[in-house]
Structure formats: structure tokens, C-alpha cells
Amino acid sequence: MATPVINATSRHTATVIFLHGLGDTGHGWSEMFRQIRHPHVKYVCPTAKVMPVTLNGGMRMPSWFDIRGLSPGSAEDEPGIKSAAELLQSYVAEEEKEGIKRDRIMVGGFSQGGAVALYSAFTHSGPSFAGIIALSTWLPLYKTFPGAVSANQTTQILQCHGLDDGLVAPSFGKMTSELVKSFSPNIRFKTYSGMGHSSCDQVVRP
């Protein structure tokens, strides 16, 4: 599936790369960004390949890696997580080839996509990103942190979570925020009453 891209309408000087959640595609998020776009920014919203997902009984769907559970004690697909992190870095490299430096690139994602964005940003060495967006998500392979950190320890991070999220528990989001803050203090954790595992206008227009 082709990657949805919203090109800058003026001189391209910055890029946002945003990864969708489990079972979704990049198209919905690209339409959201189209509504709040800035003319100098290019928005890239890739779609994950289709694979069987253990959490959903082996059903095949777009997924960045296999998910076995959504609690801190769940088994994790370490090879899949690391492969997805590398894939995100390849999208970053494409922007760098176009002359956009990392300090003008923001990465992020929703749910599973946010997990990839966090892990990839912290574990791949290089100049810091302009920012990280983490919506309704968690830090995968969290037991390897802070030892696994090699980048983005001073990057501004916005983490948002609905207090009525029944899929990724708000407590998991808070635990992620507290862990990240121990090695990357510029994280802001915002919660939203009445919001489940989704986004809302207050999140996308903070």
C-alpha cells in the first residue's frame, strides 16, 4: 500500500512522520494532518504490512509488530519491535536525503505506532529529533531502559492518554511517562477525562 504523504505547500523545511495503531492504516491520520497542516511541513503517514496478531487470535491486519498482550507483564515481540524501529529510521533517512535534518523532523504515533516511535527514537543514535508525539501508548521492551537509551534525551516529548482507555491502561501510560522522565526529562504527560483508546480535538489541537 502506498504511503500517504501530504507535501508542503510552501518551501519544505520540516517533516512529521506519524505511525498508526494496530489494524489501522496511515490514511485516516493523513486526513487529520491535512486539516491542521502547516504550509512548510511535509506529513508522512506510512501503513504497516499485514501480519497475524496474537492479541487478536492470529487475525491478519496491518501491524508494526506482533502484540501478545497490552499490560506491563505481557510477553513482547522483541525482533518485530526492533525491525519496526529500523523501518521508522528508514523513513527518517529518506527525509534526510531531501535535506531535512533531524532537528526539523518530528516522529510520533498512536498506540502501537507510538510505541515504535518512542523505542526507535531512544535506541538509534544520532542528532535529536525536533520532537516526539506519543498518543495512547507505551514504551515497549521497557525493562531494557534506561540502558538502551542512545539518543533524544533532551527532546521535547508530548504524551497524551485518555483516562477511560480500556485497551492501553492509563496506568501503563503513566508508568511509561515516569520511566521516560528518568532519562529524558522534557516529557509532558497529558490526560483526558472521558476519552477512551482514541484521539480528540484537544489532543490534535493542543
Side-chain angles (χ1 to χ4, degrees):
M1 183 179 292
T3 294
V5 174
I6 301 173
N7 288 308
T9 55
S10 63
R11 190 169 71 88
H12 175 205
T13 61
T15 297
V16 173
I17 304 172
F18 192 89
L19 306 183
H20 64 76
L22 177 65
D24 199 3
T25 70
H27 291 278
W29 288 101
S30 68
E31 288 306 308
M32 184 278 294
F33 282 119
R34 193 181 300 278
Q35 296 174 26
I36 62 171
R37 67 194 299 182
H38 294 277
H40 65 285
V41 181
K42 174 184 176 182
Y43 300 88
V44 180
C45 300
T47 295
K49 67 180 181 181
V50 173
M51 66 171 68
V53 177
T54 301
L55 181 69
N56 290 342
M59 187 179 300
R60 294 178 60 83
M61 61 189 64
S63 183
W64 300 107
F65 54 87
D66 188 25
I67 297 180
R68 284 107 189 231
L70 287 171
S71 66
S74 299
E76 296 185 272
D77 174 19
E78 183 172 351
I81 292 165
K82 290 182 175 179
S83 176
E86 292 285 353
L87 180 61
L88 176 54
Q89 292 296 322
S90 74
Y91 292 121
V92 171
E94 287 299 315
E95 296 307 303
E96 290 180 306
K97 288 178 184 176
E98 293 188 18
I100 308 300
K101 295 182 179 180
R102 285 183 177 238
D103 63 1
R104 298 292 296 168
I105 298 173
M106 184 176 290
V107 299
F110 175 79
S111 191
Q112 188 192 38
V116 173
L118 286 173
Y119 186 83
S120 185
F122 292 136
T123 60
H124 287 74
S125 59
S128 294
F129 289 125
I132 302 169
I133 310 166
L135 307 183
S136 303
T137 193
W138 71 99
L139 178 62
L141 303 176
Y142 71 91
K143 292 179 181 178
T144 65
F145 290 88
V149 177
S150 62
N152 288 292
Q153 289 173 270
T154 59
T155 301
Q156 295 288 330
I157 303 166
L158 175 62
Q159 182 186 355
C160 301
H161 214 110
L163 291 176
D164 291 338
D165 193 329
L167 194 58
V168 180
S171 59
F172 200 3
K174 184 179 180 182
M175 187 192 87
T176 289
S177 175
E178 290 172 349
L179 173 58
V180 170
K181 197 165 191 175
S182 72
F183 59 80
S184 185
N186 293 330
I187 183 169
R188 184 160 52 123
F189 182 52
K190 299 182 68 175
T191 57
Y192 298 83
S193 298
M195 189 176 82
H197 192 65
S198 61
S199 186
C200 65
D201 283 348
Q202 292 96 321
V203 173
V204 299
R205 303 175 190 269

